[in-house]
C-alpha cells in the first residue's frame, strides 16, 4: 500500500522539484533581480508571510465565493440548456448561433460592460463566471445526452419508464462522463472568470490583490504568491471535481 | 497621468505581457533601423562632415493614453528640441505600474511617474530614481460641488466621499489631507468605486466629495456649469507629484542624454506656460482626436499647467526636487497603518537624483 | 402499508395458477391454446414495414398463437422479420395491418406483463448487476429493500448469484446475458420474449444456457417466445417451432417438437430430433427455392 503510494507520488514530486530547480537556475544564471523574477524561496516565504499576516485570506474568500456561485449558476443553466439543445432541434436552431457568438466574444471585453451594468460587487463577478462556465458545460451536456445509447432508451420503454425516469435513470447517468468533461473545463474557466471580473473593478479578491501587488506595492514576490494561490485554487477545484466524478461515474469499462 | 491614464489600466491589465513584447519588438526594430540607416544611405560622414554623431535613441514612457497632459513632450519632439540635444526619442504609452518596473528593468530609459509610487517601488528594490519634477503640486485632490458647503478638509467629517480603492496615490493623498485636519478615514463615510465611477457619483449627488485629479474631474464639472471646490494636499503634506524617473543604470550610462532630454522637456514646458495654445496645437498634432473638443482640452491643459510650478520651483528653478518634502512624505507614508512601504523606509538619496537637472 | 408486498403476493398467486395449468405437457400439439382460456400471445394477420428509403417490408400477414405456459421458438434466416415480430408483440412497434393480443388484451404499447431479453444484454454500464436487475422494479416504484431482495433471488435463479456488486464490464458475456434475463423476469411477466439471447455466446456456453433457460421456464411457468438462428436450440427448448421465411417474412411452417420434459443434452441425439430438424430444414429450403 505505502509502496504504491510512494510509486504514484514519486513522479509528481520529481516534476515539481524539477520545476523549482529550473526556476531557481533561471534566476541565478539570468541574474534577474527580485522585482523581475523572484527566486522560488523568496516567493515561498512571501506566500507563507502573506497567509500568516492575513493579506491573502480575505481575498481568497472573496474569489472562492465568486467562483463557487458563478460555477453553480453557470453549470446549472448549462445543464438545462444543453439538455434542451440535445432534445429539441428547434431549440438548437434558435439558440446555438447566440451561444456560439457569446462564446466567441472575448469575456475580457465584456467584463467592463458587465461591471458597468451590474456594479463592481459580487453580482458582476458571478455573472462573468457563469458566462465563461456556461458554454463548455452546455455543449458537453448536449453531446452527452445525444450520445446516450438508443438501445438503453429502448430498455426504458420496455419497462414503461416515465419521461422523468428516462431523464434521471438513463439520460443523465448515460451522459455523465461527457458532461463531466465539460465540467472539468468549466471549473478551471470559472477561476479565470473570477479574476477577469475582479480586474474589471473590485474591492477585494485575488485579481485585485494582483493589481495591488503589481500596481501600488510593486511587490513582485506577492504577485507570484497570489498567482500560486490562484493556481492552487484551480487545482483543488479540479481535484474536487475528479473526486465527485469518480463517485458518480465510476468505472464503466 | 491623471484619471484617464489610470482607468483603462484595469481592463487592459491582462494585455501587459503582450504589450511588453510589442514594446521590446518595436525597440529592437528602431535600433536595427538606426544601425542600418547610415550604411544603407551611402556615406553620411561625407555629407554631414563636422556635425555631431548620429542621434542616440531614447525610449520615453508616458501614461497609458496619449493625452493633452503630455503636451510638453509632443512640443519638444515636434519642435526638434530632442533632436537638437542629440536624441532620437520614441514614446511608449504604458500604464503606471508597468512603467516603473520597465524603467527599473531598463526597457524604458525615462518615464513619468508620481512620487508616491517611487517610494514603495524603491522599497521593493526596483532601481529607479526620481530625476526631475514635472507636477510641482500634487495633482490628486479631493473635490466637491460648491453647493455641498465643503470648504476645508475639516468639513469632510461625517460626509460621504467616493474613491476607487484604499490604495495608490489618491488614498495616500486622502489620508494626508485628512490628517491635516486631525481626521482619519474612519471619520468619513467612504464609498469605494472600483470602477472609477466616483466622478459620476459626485455629479449625480450620490456622494458629497470624491477624489480626483486637478486637471480632470473638477475641470469637467466646471465645464458642465457646476461650481466646484478643490481641496489640495500640498499645504498639509507636500507630497511629490509626477515627475521623470530613470533607472540607476541609465543614469550612469546615459547621463548626457538624460540631461539633454530633461532640459528640452523643461524648455517646452516654459513655452507652453507662456502660450498654452502652442501646447494644445502640439498635442493635437500628435493625437488628432484631441482636436474634436479644443475647449475642453485647453481647459485641461491650463489646469495641468497650474500644477507645473510651485513656490519651491519658483525659487529653485523648473524641475527642482524638494528634498524636504520627499523626506516628510516618506515619514508620513511609513506612519500609515496600511503603509505600502516594504521594510525600512528608503532614505531620500535612494529615491531622487538631482544630478541631471539643468544647473 | 406496503404496496410492493401486496403486489408481490398477488403476482405470486397468479403465477401459482399458471404453473398449475398443464403447461409442461410434453409435446403439446401446439396449435390453438387450451379451450376457454385466451392465448398468451395471439398474432392475427400482422404486416409491418420500416419506412426507410426505400421502404423495407418486414412481415406480411403473419398469424399464430402461443398458449399460456408454452415455449415457442421462432426460426428464420436474417431479414425474415424475427426481431420485428418480437418488437410488435412487445409493443415497441405497432403493426400496419392486423392486431396482436397478449393475455387476451390488444397490445397498444409496452406492457409490464411482457419481459424482453434483447440480442445484446443492454445493461446500464453504470449500475451493478443487482441494480440492473432491480431497474424494472425501481421504475415500478418498489422500495429499495424489496427490489434488492427480489433482484438477489432472480440472480440466484439465473445462476449468477456472486456478481451482485459487479458492473457489466466486469462480467463475462454469459453472465451479462444471465443478468439481462434476470432483469426481464423481475416483474414476473406472464410472457417472456427472447431475441436471440445467446447468439453472442460460444457453442458450449450456449448449450448450458439452454438447459438453464429450460429450468427457469419450468420454475416460473412463464410463456416464452424465443427467436433463434439455431435449429438445435429451437428443438431443444421449444414445444413448437414457428418457421419464418421470405422478405417480407411469412410463416411457412409450424413444427411441433414431440420430446418429453425435462430435456437433457443427450435427448438431442434422439431420432425425433432429427425428424424435426429435417422438417424445419425442408421448410426453410423450400422457401429458398421458391
Amino acid at each position: 500500500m505505502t509502496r504504491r503510494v510512494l510509486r504514484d507520488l514519486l513522479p509528481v514530486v520529481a516534476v515539481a522539484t524539477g520545476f523549482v530547480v529550473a526556476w531557481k537556475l533561471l534566476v541565478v544564471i539570468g541574474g534577474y533581480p527580485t522585482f523581475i523574477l523572484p527566486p522560488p524561496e523568496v516567493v515561498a516565504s512571501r506566500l507563507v508571510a502573506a497567509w500568516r499576516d492575513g493579506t491573502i485570506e480575505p481575498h481568497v474568500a472573496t474569489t472562492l465565493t465568486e467562483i463557487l456561485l458563478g460555477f453553480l449558476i453557470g453549470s446549472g443553466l448549462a445543464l438545462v440548456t444543453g439538455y434542451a439543445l440535445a432534445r429539441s432541434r428547434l431549440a438548437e436552431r434558435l439558440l446555438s448561433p447566440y451561444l456560439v457568438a457569446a462564446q466567441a466574444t472575448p469575456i475580457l471585453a465584456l467584463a467592463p460592460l458587465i461591471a458597468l451594468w451590474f456594479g463592481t460587487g459580487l453580482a458582476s463577478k458571478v455573472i462573468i463566471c457563469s458566462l465563461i462556465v456556461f458554454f463548455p458545460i452546455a455543449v458537453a451536456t448536449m453531446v452527452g445526452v445525444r450520445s446516450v445509447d438508443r438501445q438503453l432508451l429502448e430498455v426504458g420503454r420496455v419497462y414503461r419508464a416515465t419521461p422523468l425516469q428516462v431523464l434521471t435513470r438513463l439520460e443523465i447517468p448515460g451522459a455523465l462522463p461527457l458532461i463531466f468533461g465539460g465540467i472539468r473545463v468549466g471549473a478551471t474557466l470559472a477561476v479565470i472568470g473570477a479574476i477577469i471580473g475582479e480586474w474589471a473593478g473590485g474591492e477585494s479578491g485575488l485579481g485585485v490583490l494582483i493589481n495591488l501587488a503589481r500596481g501600488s506595492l510593486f511587490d513582485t514576490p506577492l504577485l507570484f504568491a497570489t498567482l500560486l494561490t490562484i493556481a492552487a485554487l484551480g487545482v483543488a477545484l479540479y481535484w474536487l471535481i475528479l473526486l465527485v466524478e469518480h463517485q458518480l461515474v465510476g468505472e464503466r469499462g | 497621468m491623471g484619471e484617464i491614464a489610470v482607468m483603462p489600466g484595469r481592463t487592459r491589465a491582462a494585455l501587459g505581457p503582450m504589450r511588453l513584447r510589442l514594446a521590446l519588438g518595436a525597440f529592437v526594430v528602431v535600433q536595427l533601423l538606426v544601425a542600418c540607416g547610415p550604411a544603407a544611405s551611402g556615406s553620411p560622414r561625407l555629407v554631414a562632415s563636422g556635425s555631431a554623431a548620429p542621434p542616440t535613441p531614447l525610449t520615453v514612457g508616458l501614461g497609458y493614453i496619449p493625452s493633452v497632459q503630455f503636451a510638453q513632450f509632443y512640443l519638444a519632439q515636434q519642435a526638434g528640441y530632442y533632436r537638437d540635444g542629440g536624441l532620437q526619442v520614441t514614446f511608449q504609452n504604458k500604464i503606471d505600474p508597468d512603467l516603473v518596473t520597465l524603467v527599473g528593468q531598463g526597457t524604458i530609459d525615462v518615464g513619468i511617474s508620481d512620487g508616491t509610487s517611487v517610494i514603495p517601488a524603491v522599497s521593493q528594490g526596483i532601481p529607479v530614481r526620481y530625476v526631475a519634477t514635472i507636477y510641482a503640486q500634487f495633482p490628486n485632490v479631493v473635490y466637491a460641488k460648491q453647493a455641498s458647503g465643503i470648504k476645508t478638509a475639516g468639513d469632510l467629517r461625517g460626509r460621504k466621499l467616493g474613491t476607487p480603492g484604499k490604495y495608490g496615490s489618491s488614498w495616500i493623498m486622502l489620508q494626508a489631507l485628512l490628517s491635516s485636519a486631525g481626521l482619519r478615514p474612519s471619520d468619513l463615510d467612504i464609498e469605494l468605486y472600483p470602477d472609477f465611477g466616483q466622478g459620476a457619483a459626485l455629479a449625480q449627488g450620490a456622494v458629497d466629495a470624491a477624489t480626483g485629479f486637478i486637471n480632470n474631474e473638477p475641470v469637467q464639472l466646471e465645464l458642465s456649469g457646476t461650481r466646484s471646490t478643490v481641496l489640495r494636499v500640498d499645504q498639509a503634506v507636500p507630497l511629490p507629484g509626477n515627475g521623470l524617473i530613470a533607472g540607476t543604470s541609465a543614469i550612469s550610462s546615459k547621463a548626457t542624454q538624460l540631461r539633454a532630454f530633461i532640459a528640452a522637456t523643461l524648455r517646452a514646458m516654459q513655452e507652453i506656460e507662456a502660450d498654452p495654445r502652442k501646447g494644445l496645437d502640439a498635442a493635437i498634432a500628435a493625437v488628432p482626436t484631441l482636436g474634436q473638443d479644443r475647449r475642453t482640452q485647453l481647459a485641461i491643459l491650463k489646469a495641468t499647467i497650474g500644477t507645473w510650478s510651485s513656490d519651491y520651483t519658483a525659487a529653485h528653478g523648473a524641475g527642482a526636487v524638494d528634498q524636504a518634502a520627499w523626506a516628510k512624505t516618506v515619514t508620513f507614508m511609513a506612519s500609515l497603518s496600511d503603509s505600502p512601504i516594504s521594510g525600512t523606509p528608503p532614505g531620500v538619496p535612494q529615491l531622487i537624483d538631482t544630478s541631471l537637472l539643468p544647473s | 402499508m406496503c404496496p410492493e408486498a401486496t403486489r408481490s403476493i398477488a403476482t405470486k398467486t397468479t403465477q401459482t395458477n399458471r404453473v398449475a395449468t398443464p403447461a409442461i405437457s410434453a409435446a403439446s400439439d401446439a396449435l390453438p391454446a387450451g379451450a376457454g382460456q385466451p392465448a398468451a400471445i395471439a398474432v392475427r394477420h400482422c404486416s409491418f414495414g420500416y419506412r426507410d428509403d426505400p421502404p423495407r417490408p418486414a412481415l406480411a400477414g403473419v398469424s399464430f398463437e402461443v398458449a399460456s405456459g408454452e415455449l415457442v421458438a421462432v426460426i428464420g434466416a436474417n431479414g425474415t422479420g424475427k426481431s420485428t415480430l418480437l418488437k410488435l408483440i412487445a409493443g415497441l412497434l405497432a403493426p400496419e395491418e392486423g392486431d396482436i393480443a397478449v393475455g387476451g388484451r390488444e397490445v397498444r404499447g409496452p406492457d409490464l406483463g411482457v419481459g424482453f431479453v434483447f440480442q445484446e444484454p443492454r445493461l446500464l454500464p453504470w449500475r451493478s448487476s443487482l441494480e440492473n436487475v432491480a431497474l424494472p422494479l425501481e421504475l415500478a416504484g418498489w422500495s429499495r429493500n424489496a427490489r434488492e431482495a427480489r433482484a438477489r433471488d432472480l440472480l440466484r435463479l439465473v445462476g449468477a448469484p456472486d456478481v451482485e456488486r459487479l458492473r457489466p464490464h466486469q462480467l463475462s458475456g454469459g453472465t451479462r446475458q444471465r443478468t439481462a434475463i434476470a432483469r426481464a423476469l423481475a416483474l414476473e411477466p406472464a410472457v417472456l420474449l427472447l431475441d436471440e439471447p445467446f447468439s453472442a455466446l460460444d457453442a458450449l456456453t450456449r448449450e448450458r444456457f439452454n438447459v438453464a433457460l429450460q429450468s427457469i421456464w419450468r420454475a416460473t411457468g412463464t410463456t416464452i417466445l424465443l427467436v433463434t438462428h439455431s435449429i438445435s436450440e429451437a428443438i431443444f427448448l421449444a414445444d413448437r417451432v414457428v418457421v419464418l421465411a421470405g422478405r417480407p417474412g411469412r410463416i411457412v411452417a409450424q413444427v411441433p417438437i414431440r420430446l418429453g420434459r425435462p430435456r437433457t443434452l443427450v435427448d438431442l441425439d434422439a431420432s425425433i430430433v432429427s425428424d424435426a430438424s429435417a422438417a424445419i430444414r425442408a421448410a426453410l429450403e423450400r422457401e429458398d427455392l421458391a
Side-chain angles (χ1 to χ4, degrees):
Chain A
M1 189 64 202
T2 13
R3 280 186 66 181
R4 225 190 104 194
V5 169
L6 270 179
R7 200 188 60 207
D8 288 354
L9 270 179
L10 207 62
V12 178
V13 173
V15 169
T17 312
F19 176 74
V20 171
V21 168
W23 175 1
K24 177 71 184 174
L25 280 178
L26 188 65
V27 173
V28 172
I29 295 171
Y32 294 111
T34 298
F35 76 93
I36 293 176
L37 179 61
E41 71 278 8
V42 170
V43 172
S45 68
R46 189 71 187 90
L47 180 66
V48 171
W51 272 101
R52 278 219 184 123
D53 66 15
T55 305
I56 287 188
E57 204 189 306
H59 295 289
V60 169
T62 303
T63 303
L64 202 57
T65 310
E66 294 160 2
I67 291 172
L68 292 181
L69 281 176
F71 176 74
L72 286 179
I73 293 173
S75 56
L77 291 173
L79 289 172
V80 173
T81 311
Y83 185 77
L85 292 174
R87 284 284 160 251
S88 158
R89 293 278 158 192
L90 180 69
E92 196 200 353
R93 266 207 307 278
L94 289 180
L95 291 179
S96 55
Y98 297 101
L99 292 181
V100 174
Q103 175 67 8
T105 311
I107 198 85
L108 214 57
L110 282 179
L113 282 177
I114 291 168
L116 193 66
W117 298 331
F118 299 97
T120 53
L122 183 62
S124 62
K125 278 83 166 175
V126 170
I127 289 170
I128 292 166
C129 270
S130 305
L131 275 178
I132 203 168
V133 159
F134 181 83
F135 190 77
I137 300 183
V139 170
T141 306
M142 181 183 80
V143 174
V145 169
R146 281 198 186 147
S147 73
V148 173
D149 192 347
R150 285 175 178 279
Q151 295 194 330
L152 296 184
L153 296 177
E154 200 172 43
V155 170
R157 281 187 63 206
V158 165
Y159 298 112
R160 300 181 60 122
T162 63
L164 184 66
Q165 286 176 330
V166 171
L167 176 70
T168 56
R169 309 302 208 283
L170 298 171
E171 288 177 327
I172 290 178
L176 222 46
L178 284 173
I179 292 176
F180 264 103
I183 286 180
R184 285 197 215 174
V185 176
T188 45
L189 286 178
V191 179
I192 296 176
I195 304 299
I196 289 176
E198 287 162 3
W199 276 349
E203 292 172 24
S204 121
L206 292 170
V208 173
L209 187 58
I210 285 183
N211 277 349
L212 283 182
R214 169 168 160 266
S216 72
L217 301 175
F218 303 94
D219 191 342
T220 313
L222 179 62
L223 175 64
F224 273 69
T226 309
L227 289 176
L228 280 180
T229 307
I230 292 170
L233 215 60
V235 170
L237 214 61
Y238 190 80
W239 274 350
L240 191 71
I241 282 164
L242 282 190
L243 204 71
V244 174
E245 182 177 344
H246 188 75
Q247 286 296 313
L248 291 183
V249 175
E251 291 291 319
R252 295 183 174 192
Chain B
M1 321 261 300
E3 187 84 341
I4 311 168
V6 179
M7 251 181 70
R10 300 166 296 123
T11 53
R12 307 293 176 93
L15 299 180
M18 177 178 282
R19 292 179 54 83
L20 168 58
R21 240 173 283 133
L22 284 176
L24 287 171
F27 185 64
V28 170
V29 170
V30 167
Q31 288 203 318
L32 282 175
L33 286 176
V34 169
C36 298
S41 60
S43 41
R45 259 165 285 161
L46 288 181
V47 178
S49 62
S51 81
T56 310
L58 200 72
T59 309
V60 178
L62 302 179
Y64 183 70
I65 287 187
S67 138
V68 74
Q69 297 165 46
F70 308 120
Q72 68 271 41
F73 300 98
Y74 302 137
L75 177 63
Q77 177 86 312
Q78 289 160 22
Y81 301 158
Y82 293 141
R83 196 178 52 240
D84 294 347
L87 304 173
Q88 187 186 358
V89 165
T90 311
F91 295 126
Q92 296 279 339
N93 287 101
K94 285 283 162 202
I95 59 169
D96 192 50
D98 285 341
L99 201 131
V100 175
T101 311
L102 289 172
V103 169
Q105 183 205 12
T107 304
I108 288 177
D109 296 308
V110 59
I112 186 160
S113 169
D114 75 83
T116 53
S117 292
V118 171
I119 296 168
V122 169
S123 80
Q124 287 287 352
I126 301 181
V128 293
R129 297 287 183 273
Y130 189 91
V131 294
T133 300
I134 301 289
Y135 286 19
Q137 298 175 47
F138 204 66
N140 301 57
V141 296
V142 168
Y143 73 105
K145 289 179 186 168
Q146 219 172 53
S148 70
I150 294 170
K151 291 193 187 69
T152 66
D155 296 336
L156 290 171
R157 180 192 294 273
R159 306 296 287 265
K160 230 179 203 181
L161 180 138
T163 191
K166 298 182 175 181
Y167 56 86
S169 48
S170 285
W171 183 241
I172 288 165
M173 175 277 298
L174 179 62
Q175 293 181 86
L177 184 70
L178 293 177
S179 74
S180 71
L183 296 177
R184 287 194 297 179
S186 54
D187 297 321
L188 277 65
D189 181 2
I190 291 182
E191 293 266 324
L192 295 186
Y193 289 88
D195 57 348
F196 291 76
Q198 73 278 6
L202 183 116
Q204 289 159 13
V207 292
D208 302 314
T211 59
F213 290 82
I214 184 71
N215 53 1
N216 190 1
E217 293 92 342
V219 177
Q220 310 271 9
L221 200 63
E222 292 269 340
L223 283 175
S224 73
T226 309
R227 305 290 298 162
S228 66
T229 308
V230 168
L231 304 177
R232 311 190 67 135
V233 72
D234 304 76
Q235 289 79 22
V237 181
L239 297 175
N242 304 54
L244 296 176
I245 60 167
T248 49
S249 63
I251 291 173
S252 50
S253 66
K254 291 187 178 174
T256 318
Q257 289 81 2
L258 289 175
R259 207 168 277 132
F261 176 80
I262 291 168
T265 306
L266 292 175
R267 176 181 168 193
M269 283 168 75
Q270 275 157 5
E271 286 180 18
I272 294 171
E273 279 179 306
D275 181 6
R277 279 169 207 286
K278 207 170 168 182
L280 182 64
D281 290 337
I284 291 170
V287 190
T289 51
L290 296 177
Q292 287 168 4
D293 186 358
R294 286 184 68 96
R295 177 170 161 260
T296 303
Q297 296 304 327
L298 187 63
I300 291 173
L301 181 58
K302 281 182 173 166
T304 307
I305 293 168
T307 68
W308 286 352
S309 52
S310 65
D311 294 345
Y312 187 84
T313 56
H316 297 86
V321 182
D322 185 349
Q323 303 201 24
W326 274 80
K328 273 191 195 168
T329 301
V330 172
T331 309
F332 174 72
M333 284 174 70
S335 74
L336 296 175
S337 60
D338 57 351
S339 173
I341 298 174
S342 164
T344 315
V348 174
Q350 292 169 271
L351 296 165
I352 66 168
D353 189 324
T354 54
S355 66
L356 304 175
L357 288 168
S359 43
Chain C
M1 183 191 153
C2 181
E4 294 87 14
T6 331
R7 171 184 208 147
S8 179
I9 291 161
T11 40
K12 281 224 173 75
T13 321
T14 54
Q15 181 190 320
T16 323
N17 289 342
R18 272 192 277 118
V19 172
T21 62
I24 316 172
S25 62
S28 72
D29 225 346
L31 293 179
Q37 201 179 5
I41 303 171
V43 178
R44 283 183 287 269
H45 315 294
C46 261
S47 297
F48 183 84
Y50 291 97
R51 286 165 197 199
D52 297 349
D53 193 26
R56 208 156 41 88
L59 286 172
V62 169
S63 295
F64 74 104
E65 289 192 352
V66 180
S68 181
E70 199 182 4
L71 200 168
V72 171
V74 177
I75 199 162
N78 282 333
T80 51
K82 302 186 301 290
S83 295
T84 305
L85 180 61
L86 282 200
K87 287 191 177 177
L88 286 167
I89 296 169
L92 292 171
L93 297 173
E96 280 165 4
E97 284 171 33
D99 55 82
I100 298 171
V102 168
R105 275 174 311 169
E106 196 183 339
V107 173
R108 292 170 189 279
D111 184 334
L112 294 182
V114 177
F116 202 117
V117 177
F118 295 91
Q119 206 165 337
E120 321 78 18
R122 300 200 185 182
L123 300 175
L124 310 189
W126 55 88
R127 287 181 170 230
S128 69
S129 268
L130 192 76
E131 290 164 342
N132 263 294
V133 173
L135 176 73
L137 306 169
E138 187 181 329
L139 296 179
W142 286 40
S143 75
R144 175 181 288 276
N145 284 341
R147 65 186 190 239
E148 285 191 352
R150 169 114 180 98
R152 240 173 239 121
D153 287 346
L154 287 163
L155 281 173
R156 208 171 299 127
L157 177 73
V158 299
D162 309 323
V163 299
E164 283 181 12
R165 298 281 149 224
L166 300 183
R167 288 189 174 188
H169 75 279
Q170 297 167 302
L171 305 176
S172 68
T175 313
R176 260 179 249 165
Q177 204 53 284
R178 282 179 199 265
T179 306
I181 292 172
R183 179 176 67 187
L185 291 170
L187 291 169
E188 300 191 26
V191 170
L192 185 61
L193 307 173
L194 296 109
D195 186 3
E196 300 188 43
F198 309 135
S199 59
L201 307 181
D202 64 82
L204 290 174
T205 314
R206 215 172 153 140
E207 286 189 340
R208 283 214 324 274
F209 266 73
N210 287 336
V211 173
L213 181 61
Q214 181 182 227
S215 51
I216 291 168
W217 173 60
R218 288 169 58 86
T220 57
T222 309
T223 306
I224 291 183
L225 185 62
L226 166 81
V227 162
T228 178
H229 255 109
S230 157
I231 294 174
S232 61
E233 186 170 275
I235 292 171
F236 175 74
L237 285 169
D239 298 320
R240 180 166 41 112
V241 177
V242 174
V243 184
L244 276 179
R247 293 185 191 201
R250 296 178 291 110
I251 294 179
V252 295
Q254 298 205 35
V255 180
I257 309 297
R258 297 172 205 281
L259 254 183
R261 299 266 187 194
R263 296 169 186 171
T264 64
L265 291 172
V266 181
D267 294 335
L268 285 174
D269 300 328
S271 63
I272 204 169
V273 171
S274 38
D275 291 350
S277 178
I280 294 167
R281 271 185 215 288
L284 287 168
E285 278 163 17
R286 226 178 11 250
E287 185 57 30
D288 279 354
L289 291 173

